[in-house]
Amino acid sequence: IIYQGKGISKRYTLSMIFLFIALEALGVFFLIQKRYSHVLEKGNNTFSEEGSVYVGQISLKSSYALSSGPRLAMAIIFILFGILIMGIIISLKRTKITLYNEFIEFSDCTNKILLGLTSSKYMKDVRVPYSSIISVKADSAHCQIYISLVEGKQYRVVCKDAKQVSEMLETKCGKLC
């Protein structure tokens, strides 16, 4: 084994968790609506020495209620997107990659990860020999490596050290990449 990794980087995980929290907070904000009502409390009319009249007190009371209409729709959309992001985080944490002397083995998450529906039981492990790799492109910001094969297939590999692994793959592939 040359390299073995699992999941995504902590920085990317924290950014995704922040996005999840922000979406859920927006959803709750749109779900709970604040209503204001002005109430005039009557008091005795009193006169000051200058002749001005004081008329009781005005107080502001607020109440909370569930939203309706477009606000409710927006709340549901934000909450569902937040849940989707959490599913994606869980899926990305379960990916794995291993580099051996002759081939690479990784969790295939090309299409399923976008929906957040991938779990470790639905991810299949793919074994690819270095000789069939045409190109390798790294996306370090999103912890991803794109691998193109001679057969025309392309895989998206999730890896916490995307740049390091892509450089190792390029050296293993030789002049083909």
Side-chain angles (χ1 to χ4, degrees), residues 32-144:
I32 298 175
Q33 180 175 332
K34 196 175 204 181
R35 296 183 180 169
Y36 294 101
S37 60
H38 298 281
V39 177
L40 177 64
E41 296 177 3
K42 293 184 178 180
N44 296 333
N45 291 342
T46 55
F47 294 94
S48 67
E49 294 177 7
E50 292 86 24
S52 48
V53 179
Y54 296 112
V55 184
Q57 297 176 350
I58 298 175
S59 65
L60 179 65
K61 292 185 179 180
S62 61
S63 62
Y64 295 93
L66 289 178
S67 299
S68 61
R71 285 180 63 99
L72 180 63
M74 289 295 292
I76 291 171
I77 289 171
F78 281 125
I79 290 172
L80 288 177
F81 274 134
I83 292 170
L84 182 72
I85 292 294
M86 184 51 77
I88 291 173
I89 293 169
I90 292 168
S91 299
L92 289 174
K93 293 299 273 181
R94 292 182 178 164
T95 60
K96 57 185 174 182
I97 182 171
T98 308
L99 276 83
Y100 296 97
N101 285 328
E102 300 297 322
F103 58 90
I104 178 175
E105 190 173 79
F106 54 88
S107 302
D108 180 23
C109 51
T110 304
N111 296 321
K112 301 175 193 101
I113 203 87
L114 294 175
L115 300 174
L117 301 175
T118 305
S119 68
S120 57
K121 64 182 177 182
Y122 296 117
M123 278 192 236
K124 62 180 182 176
D125 289 338
V126 177
R127 183 178 285 186
V128 176
Y130 296 126
S131 60
S132 64
I133 297 175
I134 296 174
S135 68
V136 177
K137 293 179 185 174
D139 181 7
S140 297
H142 298 106
C143 300
Q144 298 176 6

Side-chain angles (χ1 to χ4, degrees), residues 2 99-102 130-131 167-174:
I2 299 171
L99 276 83
Y100 296 97
N101 285 328
E102 300 297 322
Y130 296 126
S131 60
E167 289 172 356
M168 292 171 77
L169 281 173
E170 287 175 356
T171 58
K172 278 292 188 183
C173 295

Side-chain angles (χ1 to χ4, degrees), residues 110 128 132-135 147-155:
T110 304
V128 176
S132 64
I133 297 175
I134 296 174
S135 68
I147 299 174
S148 298
L149 303 180
V150 174
E151 301 90 37
K153 290 184 181 180
Q154 185 174 10
Y155 291 105

